[in-house]
Amino acid sequence: MPTVGPRSGDAIFANVERVNAELFTLTYGAIVRQLLTDLEEVEEVNKQLDQMGYNIGTRLIDEFLAKANISRCVDFKETAEMIAKVGFKMFLGVTASVTNWDIEGTCCSVVLEENPLVDFVELPDTCQGLYYCNVLCGVIRGALEMVSMKTEVTWVRDVLRGDDSYELQVKLLKQVPEEYPYKDDE
Amino acid sequence: MQFFGGSDVSPSPPAPTAAGHNANVMYMFNRNGVCLFYREWNRPLRTLNPQQDHKLMFGLLFSLKSLTAKMDPTSVDRGNLGVPQLPGQGCSFHSFRTNTYKLSFMESPSGIKIILVTDPRTGDLREALKYIYSLYVEYVAKNPLYDPGTPIRCDFFNTNLDQYVRSIS
């Protein structure tokens, strides 16, 4: 029986249910604003956004795998391509590209051409250390952890902080194979 | 309102079986061996208590996956037997058949394993298992009240699953 190949990000994006973009942007903005009010420290807010993203990512991975119909990626390069071409397109509708591979192939940059989270946003002087879109770092980290990859994801360039584009650095720390979970004496 | 309580996985009450019902039992495990879901539609003989039964099933699949990957004659890179594999790496078996039942298996790269035990004359159930996986995503993974890694107690998932399984037999 011929197996169905992986579906492209555009094809999936065309088939999912949509939500109003402004509603999405304003909801996210409300979350960040509330976190700033509750936590006051910009570093704490960054951590909290990352944690929220991590929780989202651990659930999102199953949806991604079910809709995109892909089997295991052969190496980290393919993983990064999947995230940029299929993942970002499918969930946010943005086109992303992968650049800046290091020699071992464990660290790369994902550059987003657009970012729906930051429409209408400007950072005031009181929030200069804030990574507004830190939730995206958490999402990628959480999702990859569920497929046995421990990674570190950080922002390299952020338009809200004065750079010219959105660039995430994704670094593979290690692959964690699954162990037999039961102890023999149980 | 959904209520989630209890940590023991007890068999759900058997759904009413129509004549010629095909699917007998279904299990779902996550990568840590937690039995997320167990459902039986037609199981005349139970030899072990539920916990032991789940552990046995998980252990069987874990070993079978490892064995089939190591015995693959087409693959170049095979670790030694017993070396843990990444989920999805190497080939993976998808069913085995005995003279009384057929067991179909699917594992996602995120470690979610779905097992369906059916009549031995059943055909290839890989597409059906993929559909069940998408039902899981729709009604369980997306449910904010569901805590990942705990047994599934979602009515929507149960009813949709019953409907689907009944429709394929």
Side-chain angles (χ1 to χ4, degrees):
Chain A
M1 178 175 79
T3 47
V4 181
R7 304 173 60 191
S8 76
D10 293 307
I12 308 168
F13 187 61
N15 283 331
V16 295
E17 282 174 13
R18 316 281 178 84
V19 71
N20 181 303
E22 281 170 14
L23 176 64
F24 179 64
T25 308
L26 292 174
T27 307
Y28 185 70
I31 294 175
V32 177
R33 216 169 40 248
Q34 191 60 45
L35 282 174
L36 282 168
T37 315
D38 289 342
L39 300 172
E40 285 166 27
E41 286 278 310
V42 164
E43 264 319 300
E44 278 302 312
V45 176
N46 284 341
K47 260 195 263 181
Q48 198 60 251
L49 284 173
D50 187 74
Q51 185 58 33
M52 279 168 59
Y54 179 81
N55 292 333
I56 295 175
T58 53
R59 293 166 186 263
L60 207 67
I61 183 69
D62 279 318
E63 187 178 352
F64 177 74
L65 292 170
K67 294 219 166 94
N69 199 26
I70 36 177
S71 55
R72 183 113 193 139
C73 293
V74 174
D75 57 10
F76 190 60
K77 285 207 164 118
E78 203 177 325
T79 308
E81 287 290 326
M82 275 290 147
I83 295 174
K85 295 278 174 295
V86 186
F88 271 107
K89 188 75 200 174
M90 186 167 135
F91 290 113
L92 285 180
V94 311
T95 333
S97 51
V98 185
T99 54
N100 279 355
W101 279 104
D102 74 341
I103 311 169
E104 289 132 40
T106 55
C107 185
C108 68
S109 288
V110 176
V111 180
L112 307 177
E113 284 175 27
E114 56 207 347
N115 191 343
L117 293 173
V118 302
D119 291 339
F120 328 128
V121 175
E122 247 179 54
L123 284 188
D125 295 326
T126 48
C127 304
Q128 279 309 309
L130 181 68
Y131 285 112
Y132 188 81
C133 309
N134 219 25
V135 77
L136 294 177
C137 296
V139 170
I140 297 178
R141 188 170 63 91
L144 287 178
E145 188 160 317
M146 296 305 279
V147 283
S148 319
M149 286 185 245
K150 272 203 151 25
T151 52
E152 201 178 82
V153 187
T154 47
W155 285 103
V156 174
R157 286 191 289 169
D158 190 342
V159 170
L160 293 178
R161 290 176 149 216
D163 303 310
D164 55 355
S165 65
Y166 292 100
E167 187 178 323
L168 280 164
Q169 188 191 59
V170 185
K171 187 161 132 161
L172 175 69
L173 298 174
K174 63 176 182 163
Q175 306 237 20
V176 187
E178 59 180 39
E179 300 275 331
Y180 187 65
Y182 304 123
K183 292 193 265 297
D184 284 331
D185 52 7
E186 271 183 279
Chain B
M1 185 68 185
Q2 307 276 339
F3 290 101
F4 301 95
S7 51
D8 278 345
V9 181
S10 48
S12 329
T17 53
H21 203 269
N22 203 354
N24 297 348
V25 181
M26 179 174 145
Y27 299 79
M28 266 182 84
F29 293 98
N30 76 352
R31 59 211 309 240
N32 297 325
V34 175
C35 182
L36 301 175
F37 189 76
Y38 170 74
R39 184 92 173 176
E40 58 180 43
W41 292 278
N42 178 21
R43 186 176 188 174
L45 178 67
R46 251 173 262 160
T47 52
L48 304 166
N49 77 41
Q51 270 68 35
Q52 286 179 321
D53 185 50
H54 301 323
K55 266 171 68 171
L56 180 68
M57 181 58 74
F58 185 80
L60 165 74
L61 294 166
F62 192 86
S63 314
L64 260 180
K65 258 191 338 164
S66 188
L67 200 65
T68 50
K70 299 300 183 285
M71 283 178 58
D72 187 357
T74 61
S75 138
V76 174
D77 169 44
R78 282 176 283 163
N80 294 319
L81 196 63
V83 172
Q85 290 260 318
L86 303 168
Q89 191 181 39
C91 70
S92 177
F93 84 99
H94 52 82
S95 64
F96 68 75
R97 197 197 312 248
T98 70
N99 55 342
T100 48
Y101 68 92
K102 177 175 180 180
L103 184 144
S104 307
F105 170 73
M106 184 197 98
E107 187 188 18
S108 78
S110 59
I112 302 289
K113 307 184 206 318
I114 306 181
I115 296 105
L116 207 53
V117 177
T118 58
D119 186 89
R121 289 158 297 178
T122 316
D124 190 4
L125 283 178
R126 273 182 283 185
E127 288 304 316
L129 288 172
K130 278 207 196 106
Y131 184 74
I132 294 177
Y133 183 52
S134 71
L135 281 183
Y136 161 79
V137 163
E138 213 40 54
Y139 296 110
V140 179
K142 285 192 186 174
N143 185 341
L145 297 177
Y146 168 69
D147 195 7
T150 57
I152 297 171
R153 301 243 191 282
C154 303
D155 284 339
F156 278 137
F157 180 63
N158 291 350
T159 40
N160 277 279
L161 182 69
D162 278 341
Q163 267 177 344
Y164 177 66
V165 167
R166 224 166 284 150
S167 74
I168 56 170
S169 41

